[in-house]
Amino acid sequence: MKKRVPTYIITGFLGSGKTTVLQHLLNYCRENKLKPAIVINEIGETNVEEHLFKDDHVLEMLNGCICCSIQSDFTKELHTFITSLSDNAVPDIILIEGTGIANPIEIVDALTDPLLIDKIDLFSVINVIDGSKYLEYQSIFSSTREVRSILKSQISISSFIILNKMDLINHKYTDKTRRKVEELKKGNTPVIETSYGEVNIQEMLEKRVQIHRSHDKMNLLSSRKCGCNHNHTCDQHAKVHHNHSFQAIKIDINRPIDRIDFEKWLKKLPKTMVRGKGIVNLTETAGLFQFQYSSNQLNMMRVKEDLNTEPCLILIGVDLDSKAIEKSFYEKFIKKERLT
Ligand SMILES: Nc1nc2c(ncn2[C@@H]2O[C@H](COP(=O)(O)OP(=O)(O)OP(=O)(O)O)[C@@H](O)[C@H]2O)c(=O)[nH]1
């Protein structure tokens, strides 16, 4: 592969709408006959959204965050991935969706590795913000230092900001959220307010990140602020891979569940559980459903039966007592079923 491929990082906290924006980007690529290559990173061991990308070239990196625990693997795997593509599959654009807890500066760092620098033309870091949760996540009363730090690192490096989920908030909240985002972002970074990631894709793709190539690494490292709370400088951080305190719990579900009970159960989980997703069978109707739980909302979408993924539930958060959550799920949906 001779040309440097324009590459975009899509960053943003858990459930903010990154995959939704990625879907719009892929539609744009289809309409404009562009060949995309996609890198998907998940904290958990399973990608329950695999079916969304079945016609595309996808590099899946599961069970860790490319910004930290699997950063060196990422550089090598991405290199292998793009160099192994046949000539007619060489991508016109690479789209990288980080995990919701990724510090994008670490991904930028991996992309500017000598192994990739001649292959990748890092164009932009797009940050999707959940407008309905932003103030809560930034509040010292309802959030943690780690979450605030992740949000800050994601906003401060971005070259294009999508303030999403505006349908869920009122004007007063919108004004306050807008002001807070303005405080953290780099000077002239555009902030587009929207719902369901509906942005002008062309405008978004044209906005180039402000990085001078010959100093890529130096400039980025000098401005790096990591998302973790560890007691080290960020230069040390380049050498010491950290782990987030976020965890993903996976529960296999081998029987249909009641949608309303499921929603009630999710809403009663500790507030530190910020994101849920998975594949389920429902009692009320036949077929498989993909569910998404974010911003306190549960969405279900019917999916085809020929999925590779078995029904399962993935919960992401901090300080989750996995045993207690599994027990509670079992008692609510499995044991109860057996008794009836
Ligand atoms: N109400 C509302 N829901 C939205 C909006 N954008 C996305 N969603 C829904 O929010 C849920 C999460 O969206 P995703 O695009 O999967 O979010 P993500 O950032 O990829 O999530 P992670 O996988 O946790 O990183 C889905 O059910 C979306 O349909 C929006 O603007 N308004």
Side-chain angles (χ1 to χ4, degrees), residues 15-20 164-165 167 196 275 277 292 299:
S16 58
K18 295 178 293 301
T19 307
T20 308
N164 194 36
K165 300 204 175 182
D167 56 312
Y196 290 95
R275 180 79 165 105
K277 45 184 154 178
Q292 299 278 358
N299 292 318

Side-chain angles (χ1 to χ4, degrees), residues 13 17 20 51 76 88 91 103-104 112 127-128 139 154-155 170 178 182 194 201 228 237 251 262 266 282 311 324 338:
F13 196 61
T20 308
H51 57 283
K76 284 185 218 127
N88 59 3
N103 179 349
T112 49
N127 179 205
V128 188
S139 159
Q154 292 177 341
I155 290 184
N170 62 31
R178 193 181 293 139
E182 292 287 335
T194 189
I201 298 288
C228 71
H237 189 262
I251 303 177
F262 183 50
L266 282 168
L282 297 176
R338 281 197 184 144

